[in-house]
Amino acid sequence: MNKDHLVEIIEKYHLGGLTEKAKWIIKDNAVTINFATELKDCIGKLTSPFEMEDIDLGVFNTTQFLKLVNIINDPFKIDLVTNHRIAMSLNISDSSFDLSYHLADLGLITEGKLSLKLPEPVITLTLDDEFITKFIKAHNALEKVEMFSIKSRIDAQKIETVQFTIGLNDHYSNKIVFDQPTKKYAKLPKFHYRVNNFREILSTNKDNKINMEVYEMGIIKLTSISENVQIDYFLVSQNK
């Protein structure tokens, strides 16, 4: 494993600090991380190759862990410290530094998992570089906005789209609206989500195309696959 790979694993679920606690399940030289943001409005599952003995690791402060990893250089070595098969700490060393990260009690970490089995998605679309740039620019222009919404629509050219609105529903509030063509289309009402979750997912996965699926109950699934990491994010609607 190299540093870039380790940093990618951490950043994909950390989402710029929205997720701090995570349980790393290492088995058969692969890691699975089921995670949830602090507000539990975005959960996800990450899988990636990871060469280490089979064990579960509790990471309580991902921000601190990422800061430690960022100062090392390739090549580096990770040593696991255990006590009666319980992971206690990770010792990371390169030619300049010897670092130690204390691992958390697994009982303090709640894994992010869906409580229901999802049916087939009713809408699917691809979020490419153009869309990611457009969404981030729009949010930058309305940086204090906390919510965005989606709804299905057919535009004037009879193209089936998902309409994204960054801003509030109030007729007198500032907002930005744009459309993204769909691959699979169905009529859906408007659903609302926290914009920071969506923006951080786009920013963290900007080098990859993101597949987006929308389910009839308003759950959004975003899937990103890179050379080393596959990750699924699930956004929960904030409709009341």
PDB file of all heavy atoms in Angstrom, residues 215-235:
ATOM      1  N   TYR A 215     -34.606   6.551  -5.176  1.00  0.00           N
ATOM      2  CA  TYR A 215     -35.635   5.573  -4.839  1.00  0.00           C
ATOM      3  C   TYR A 215     -36.926   6.292  -4.482  1.00  0.00           C
ATOM      4  O   TYR A 215     -36.929   7.454  -4.073  1.00  0.00           O
ATOM      5  CB  TYR A 215     -35.160   4.683  -3.693  1.00  0.00           C
ATOM      6  CG  TYR A 215     -33.934   3.880  -4.081  1.00  0.00           C
ATOM      7  CD1 TYR A 215     -32.660   4.436  -3.979  1.00  0.00           C
ATOM      8  CD2 TYR A 215     -34.054   2.592  -4.590  1.00  0.00           C
ATOM      9  CE1 TYR A 215     -31.538   3.716  -4.366  1.00  0.00           C
ATOM     10  CE2 TYR A 215     -32.934   1.873  -4.978  1.00  0.00           C
ATOM     11  CZ  TYR A 215     -31.681   2.439  -4.870  1.00  0.00           C
ATOM     12  OH  TYR A 215     -30.570   1.731  -5.256  1.00  0.00           O
ATOM     13  N   GLU A 216     -38.027   5.567  -4.610  1.00  0.00           N
ATOM     14  CA  GLU A 216     -39.343   6.202  -4.494  1.00  0.00           C
ATOM     15  C   GLU A 216     -39.590   6.833  -3.125  1.00  0.00           C
ATOM     16  O   GLU A 216     -40.381   7.773  -3.009  1.00  0.00           O
ATOM     17  CB  GLU A 216     -40.440   5.194  -4.801  1.00  0.00           C
ATOM     18  CG  GLU A 216     -40.460   3.985  -3.887  1.00  0.00           C
ATOM     19  CD  GLU A 216     -41.489   2.955  -4.322  1.00  0.00           C
ATOM     20  OE1 GLU A 216     -42.107   3.139  -5.383  1.00  0.00           O
ATOM     21  OE2 GLU A 216     -41.673   1.971  -3.587  1.00  0.00           O
ATOM     22  N   MET A 217     -38.901   6.346  -2.075  1.00  0.00           N
ATOM     23  CA  MET A 217     -39.086   6.933  -0.745  1.00  0.00           C
ATOM     24  C   MET A 217     -38.174   8.141  -0.519  1.00  0.00           C
ATOM     25  O   MET A 217     -38.178   8.738   0.549  1.00  0.00           O
ATOM     26  CB  MET A 217     -38.848   5.884   0.347  1.00  0.00           C
ATOM     27  CG  MET A 217     -37.403   5.455   0.543  1.00  0.00           C
ATOM     28  SD  MET A 217     -36.725   4.430  -0.798  1.00  0.00           S
ATOM     29  CE  MET A 217     -37.630   2.907  -0.540  1.00  0.00           C
ATOM     30  N   GLY A 218     -37.374   8.504  -1.542  1.00  0.00           N
ATOM     31  CA  GLY A 218     -36.545   9.705  -1.461  1.00  0.00           C
ATOM     32  C   GLY A 218     -35.101   9.470  -1.122  1.00  0.00           C
ATOM     33  O   GLY A 218     -34.326  10.426  -1.027  1.00  0.00           O
ATOM     34  N   ILE A 219     -34.684   8.229  -0.940  1.00  0.00           N
ATOM     35  CA  ILE A 219     -33.270   7.946  -0.682  1.00  0.00           C
ATOM     36  C   ILE A 219     -32.480   8.092  -1.977  1.00  0.00           C
ATOM     37  O   ILE A 219     -32.894   7.619  -3.035  1.00  0.00           O
ATOM     38  CB  ILE A 219     -33.081   6.539  -0.096  1.00  0.00           C
ATOM     39  CG1 ILE A 219     -33.647   6.484   1.325  1.00  0.00           C
ATOM     40  CG2 ILE A 219     -31.612   6.121  -0.091  1.00  0.00           C
ATOM     41  CD1 ILE A 219     -33.611   5.114   1.961  1.00  0.00           C
ATOM     42  N   ILE A 220     -31.330   8.765  -1.892  1.00  0.00           N
ATOM     43  CA  ILE A 220     -30.399   8.874  -3.017  1.00  0.00           C
ATOM     44  C   ILE A 220     -29.204   7.956  -2.738  1.00  0.00           C
ATOM     45  O   ILE A 220     -28.634   7.977  -1.646  1.00  0.00           O
ATOM     46  CB  ILE A 220     -29.881  10.310  -3.193  1.00  0.00           C
ATOM     47  CG1 ILE A 220     -30.985  11.235  -3.716  1.00  0.00           C
ATOM     48  CG2 ILE A 220     -28.697  10.350  -4.154  1.00  0.00           C
ATOM     49  CD1 ILE A 220     -30.555  12.679  -3.843  1.00  0.00           C
ATOM     50  N   LYS A 221     -28.826   7.167  -3.734  1.00  0.00           N
ATOM     51  CA  LYS A 221     -27.604   6.358  -3.660  1.00  0.00           C
ATOM     52  C   LYS A 221     -26.612   6.907  -4.671  1.00  0.00           C
ATOM     53  O   LYS A 221     -26.940   7.091  -5.846  1.00  0.00           O
ATOM     54  CB  LYS A 221     -27.897   4.890  -3.971  1.00  0.00           C
ATOM     55  CG  LYS A 221     -26.650   4.000  -3.950  1.00  0.00           C
ATOM     56  CD  LYS A 221     -27.001   2.556  -4.325  1.00  0.00           C
ATOM     57  CE  LYS A 221     -25.767   1.673  -4.347  1.00  0.00           C
ATOM     58  NZ  LYS A 221     -26.096   0.276  -4.766  1.00  0.00           N
ATOM     59  N   LEU A 222     -25.395   7.191  -4.207  1.00  0.00           N
ATOM     60  CA  LEU A 222     -24.319   7.687  -5.065  1.00  0.00           C
ATOM     61  C   LEU A 222     -23.176   6.686  -5.012  1.00  0.00           C
ATOM     62  O   LEU A 222     -22.678   6.356  -3.929  1.00  0.00           O
ATOM     63  CB  LEU A 222     -23.844   9.057  -4.585  1.00  0.00           C
ATOM     64  CG  LEU A 222     -24.905  10.166  -4.567  1.00  0.00           C
ATOM     65  CD1 LEU A 222     -24.446  11.332  -3.712  1.00  0.00           C
ATOM     66  CD2 LEU A 222     -25.215  10.630  -5.980  1.00  0.00           C
ATOM     67  N   THR A 223     -22.757   6.190  -6.165  1.00  0.00           N
ATOM     68  CA  THR A 223     -21.706   5.178  -6.242  1.00  0.00           C
ATOM     69  C   THR A 223     -20.521   5.723  -7.013  1.00  0.00           C
ATOM     70  O   THR A 223     -20.672   6.254  -8.120  1.00  0.00           O
ATOM     71  CB  THR A 223     -22.214   3.899  -6.925  1.00  0.00           C
ATOM     72  OG1 THR A 223     -23.302   3.367  -6.177  1.00  0.00           O
ATOM     73  CG2 THR A 223     -21.114   2.848  -7.015  1.00  0.00           C
ATOM     74  N   SER A 224     -19.329   5.584  -6.427  1.00  0.00           N
ATOM     75  CA  SER A 224     -18.087   6.003  -7.078  1.00  0.00           C
ATOM     76  C   SER A 224     -17.100   4.842  -7.030  1.00  0.00           C
ATOM     77  O   SER A 224     -16.914   4.218  -5.974  1.00  0.00           O
ATOM     78  CB  SER A 224     -17.496   7.222  -6.365  1.00  0.00           C
ATOM     79  OG  SER A 224     -16.215   7.541  -6.883  1.00  0.00           O
ATOM     80  N   ILE A 225     -16.480   4.562  -8.159  1.00  0.00           N
ATOM     81  CA  ILE A 225     -15.505   3.472  -8.235  1.00  0.00           C
ATOM     82  C   ILE A 225     -14.216   4.020  -8.834  1.00  0.00           C
ATOM     83  O   ILE A 225     -14.202   4.551  -9.942  1.00  0.00           O
ATOM     84  CB  ILE A 225     -16.017   2.305  -9.096  1.00  0.00           C
ATOM     85  CG1 ILE A 225     -17.331   1.754  -8.526  1.00  0.00           C
ATOM     86  CG2 ILE A 225     -14.972   1.198  -9.166  1.00  0.00           C
ATOM     87  CD1 ILE A 225     -17.968   0.691  -9.398  1.00  0.00           C
ATOM     88  N   SER A 226     -13.119   3.899  -8.068  1.00  0.00           N
ATOM     89  CA  SER A 226     -11.800   4.265  -8.576  1.00  0.00           C
ATOM     90  C   SER A 226     -10.982   2.988  -8.738  1.00  0.00           C
ATOM     91  O   SER A 226     -11.501   1.878  -8.582  1.00  0.00           O
ATOM     92  CB  SER A 226     -11.098   5.229  -7.613  1.00  0.00           C
ATOM     93  OG  SER A 226     -10.785   4.577  -6.390  1.00  0.00           O
ATOM     94  N   GLU A 227      -9.718   3.125  -9.036  1.00  0.00           N
ATOM     95  CA  GLU A 227      -8.865   1.957  -9.245  1.00  0.00           C
ATOM     96  C   GLU A 227      -8.781   1.101  -7.980  1.00  0.00           C
ATOM     97  O   GLU A 227      -8.711  -0.130  -8.055  1.00  0.00           O
ATOM     98  CB  GLU A 227      -7.455   2.407  -9.654  1.00  0.00           C
ATOM     99  CG  GLU A 227      -6.503   1.260  -9.951  1.00  0.00           C
ATOM    100  CD  GLU A 227      -5.141   1.747 -10.385  1.00  0.00           C
ATOM    101  OE1 GLU A 227      -4.977   2.965 -10.610  1.00  0.00           O
ATOM    102  OE2 GLU A 227      -4.233   0.914 -10.505  1.00  0.00           O
ATOM    103  N   ASN A 228      -8.792   1.734  -6.812  1.00  0.00           N
ATOM    104  CA  ASN A 228      -8.570   1.006  -5.566  1.00  0.00           C
ATOM    105  C   ASN A 228      -9.758   0.988  -4.614  1.00  0.00           C
ATOM    106  O   ASN A 228      -9.763   0.196  -3.671  1.00  0.00           O
ATOM    107  CB  ASN A 228      -7.380   1.623  -4.813  1.00  0.00           C
ATOM    108  CG  ASN A 228      -6.060   1.430  -5.530  1.00  0.00           C
ATOM    109  OD1 ASN A 228      -5.735   0.330  -5.938  1.00  0.00           O
ATOM    110  ND2 ASN A 228      -5.316   2.510  -5.699  1.00  0.00           N
ATOM    111  N   VAL A 229     -10.744   1.861  -4.822  1.00  0.00           N
ATOM    112  CA  VAL A 229     -11.815   2.029  -3.833  1.00  0.00           C
ATOM    113  C   VAL A 229     -13.178   2.033  -4.515  1.00  0.00           C
ATOM    114  O   VAL A 229     -13.373   2.698  -5.524  1.00  0.00           O
ATOM    115  CB  VAL A 229     -11.627   3.351  -3.047  1.00  0.00           C
ATOM    116  CG1 VAL A 229     -12.788   3.550  -2.073  1.00  0.00           C
ATOM    117  CG2 VAL A 229     -10.303   3.369  -2.297  1.00  0.00           C
ATOM    118  N   GLN A 230     -14.114   1.277  -3.941  1.00  0.00           N
ATOM    119  CA  GLN A 230     -15.516   1.400  -4.323  1.00  0.00           C
ATOM    120  C   GLN A 230     -16.273   1.900  -3.108  1.00  0.00           C
ATOM    121  O   GLN A 230     -16.083   1.405  -1.998  1.00  0.00           O
ATOM    122  CB  GLN A 230     -16.127   0.083  -4.785  1.00  0.00           C
ATOM    123  CG  GLN A 230     -17.631   0.208  -5.057  1.00  0.00           C
ATOM    124  CD  GLN A 230     -18.250  -0.989  -5.722  1.00  0.00           C
ATOM    125  OE1 GLN A 230     -17.555  -1.800  -6.332  1.00  0.00           O
ATOM    126  NE2 GLN A 230     -19.564  -1.103  -5.634  1.00  0.00           N
ATOM    127  N   ILE A 231     -17.159   2.877  -3.319  1.00  0.00           N
ATOM    128  CA  ILE A 231     -17.899   3.436  -2.202  1.00  0.00           C
ATOM    129  C   ILE A 231     -19.318   3.786  -2.622  1.00  0.00           C
ATOM    130  O   ILE A 231     -19.548   4.289  -3.715  1.00  0.00           O
ATOM    131  CB  ILE A 231     -17.172   4.674  -1.615  1.00  0.00           C
ATOM    132  CG1 ILE A 231     -17.836   5.145  -0.324  1.00  0.00           C
ATOM    133  CG2 ILE A 231     -17.052   5.793  -2.621  1.00  0.00           C
ATOM    134  CD1 ILE A 231     -16.951   6.040   0.505  1.00  0.00           C
ATOM    135  N   ASP A 232     -20.262   3.452  -1.755  1.00  0.00           N
ATOM    136  CA  ASP A 232     -21.662   3.806  -1.932  1.00  0.00           C
ATOM    137  C   ASP A 232     -22.061   4.753  -0.808  1.00  0.00           C
ATOM    138  O   ASP A 232     -21.805   4.473   0.375  1.00  0.00           O
ATOM    139  CB  ASP A 232     -22.566   2.570  -1.874  1.00  0.00           C
ATOM    140  CG  ASP A 232     -22.311   1.593  -3.009  1.00  0.00           C
ATOM    141  OD1 ASP A 232     -22.065   2.055  -4.137  1.00  0.00           O
ATOM    142  OD2 ASP A 232     -22.367   0.378  -2.766  1.00  0.00           O
ATOM    143  N   TYR A 233     -22.688   5.861  -1.183  1.00  0.00           N
ATOM    144  CA  TYR A 233     -23.227   6.813  -0.214  1.00  0.00           C
ATOM    145  C   TYR A 233     -24.756   6.798  -0.331  1.00  0.00           C
ATOM    146  O   TYR A 233     -25.298   6.689  -1.427  1.00  0.00           O
ATOM    147  CB  TYR A 233     -22.759   8.238  -0.510  1.00  0.00           C
ATOM    148  CG  TYR A 233     -21.272   8.443  -0.579  1.00  0.00           C
ATOM    149  CD1 TYR A 233     -20.588   8.344  -1.791  1.00  0.00           C
ATOM    150  CD2 TYR A 233     -20.533   8.779   0.557  1.00  0.00           C
ATOM    151  CE1 TYR A 233     -19.224   8.561  -1.871  1.00  0.00           C
ATOM    152  CE2 TYR A 233     -19.162   9.007   0.489  1.00  0.00           C
ATOM    153  CZ  TYR A 233     -18.513   8.894  -0.721  1.00  0.00           C
ATOM    154  OH  TYR A 233     -17.160   9.115  -0.804  1.00  0.00           O
ATOM    155  N   PHE A 234     -25.428   6.944   0.806  1.00  0.00           N
ATOM    156  CA  PHE A 234     -26.881   7.008   0.823  1.00  0.00           C
ATOM    157  C   PHE A 234     -27.297   8.294   1.544  1.00  0.00           C
ATOM    158  O   PHE A 234     -26.944   8.504   2.709  1.00  0.00           O
ATOM    159  CB  PHE A 234     -27.489   5.798   1.537  1.00  0.00           C
ATOM    160  CG  PHE A 234     -27.143   4.483   0.882  1.00  0.00           C
ATOM    161  CD1 PHE A 234     -25.998   3.793   1.231  1.00  0.00           C
ATOM    162  CD2 PHE A 234     -27.968   3.956  -0.091  1.00  0.00           C
ATOM    163  CE1 PHE A 234     -25.661   2.586   0.635  1.00  0.00           C
ATOM    164  CE2 PHE A 234     -27.658   2.733  -0.708  1.00  0.00           C
ATOM    165  CZ  PHE A 234     -26.498   2.053  -0.346  1.00  0.00           C
ATOM    166  N   LEU A 235     -28.026   9.141   0.830  1.00  0.00           N
ATOM    167  CA  LEU A 235     -28.519  10.400   1.410  1.00  0.00           C
ATOM    168  C   LEU A 235     -29.983  10.232   1.789  1.00  0.00           C
ATOM    169  O   LEU A 235     -30.788   9.741   0.982  1.00  0.00           O
ATOM    170  CB  LEU A 235     -28.387  11.550   0.416  1.00  0.00           C
ATOM    171  CG  LEU A 235     -26.972  11.920  -0.052  1.00  0.00           C
ATOM    172  CD1 LEU A 235     -27.050  13.092  -1.021  1.00  0.00           C
ATOM    173  CD2 LEU A 235     -26.094  12.277   1.128  1.00  0.00           C
TER     174      LEU A 235
END
